[in-house]
Amino acid sequence: MRPLHHPATADIELTAVLYALADPVRLTLVRGLSRDRPVSCIRVSEEKELGLPRATLSRHFDVLRSAGLVHTVKSGTQYLNTLRCDDLEQRFPGLLRAILFVETDPAAAAKGASRAPAGAARAAPQGAAKPAAASKRAAAAPRTGRSRP
């Protein structure tokens, strides 16, 4: 079996962390992990009622581990995971706390109830900012009168 790769604290990159947390399934998995006690991949999936195949869970945890979000140890036939809160707090102060405690329930957000600590970022409304790259490319493209194949 190949050894599990865990990046050193100094090697954790912000882009990798944000990429890993951009997937809703991985964000749910991270929110289900504990920083104090190791939790198995399957237990987190069952608690959050994700119903994902083991291969899919394995891939998601591989991305989280490669990004430096979780520390995984093998115990018998299980892989136990813990959040690397201390390492992430040292590398990017306040980032994990702000991401994990952003209110995602629209009904609770409308009432003004939030689990987020004071000063934490709020989630942007969906569709608030759409990339304009496609429209810029269309405007800059020369018009030749024939269509491209």
Side-chain angles (χ1 to χ4, degrees), residues 38-110:
V39 182
S40 73
C41 306
I42 300 300
R43 168 128 338 145
V44 174
S45 176
E46 289 172 352
E47 288 175 358
K48 295 296 182 176
E49 300 177 0
L50 295 175
L52 296 172
R54 288 181 185 224
T56 303
L57 279 175
S58 177
R59 175 65 185 139
H60 283 303
F61 275 99
D62 185 48
V63 171
L64 292 171
R65 186 175 42 257
S66 297
L69 285 162
V70 298
H71 185 263
T72 306
V73 294
K74 185 168 183 177
S75 175
T77 59
Q78 294 183 345
Y79 288 94
L80 303 175
N81 300 281
T82 53
L83 282 178
R84 292 179 63 181
C85 294
D86 295 335
D87 294 337
L88 290 165
E89 185 64 27
Q90 178 184 348
R91 186 81 168 111
F92 311 109
L95 176 71
L96 192 59
R97 190 173 349 122
I99 290 173
L100 293 182
F101 294 112
V102 171
E103 186 62 57
T104 57
D105 181 18

Side-chain angles (χ1 to χ4, degrees), residues 106-137:
K111 292 179 185 176
S114 177
R115 294 178 285 142
R122 291 215 115 339
Q126 290 185 354
K130 294 185 180 179
S135 62
K136 287 181 182 177
R137 275 182 273 158

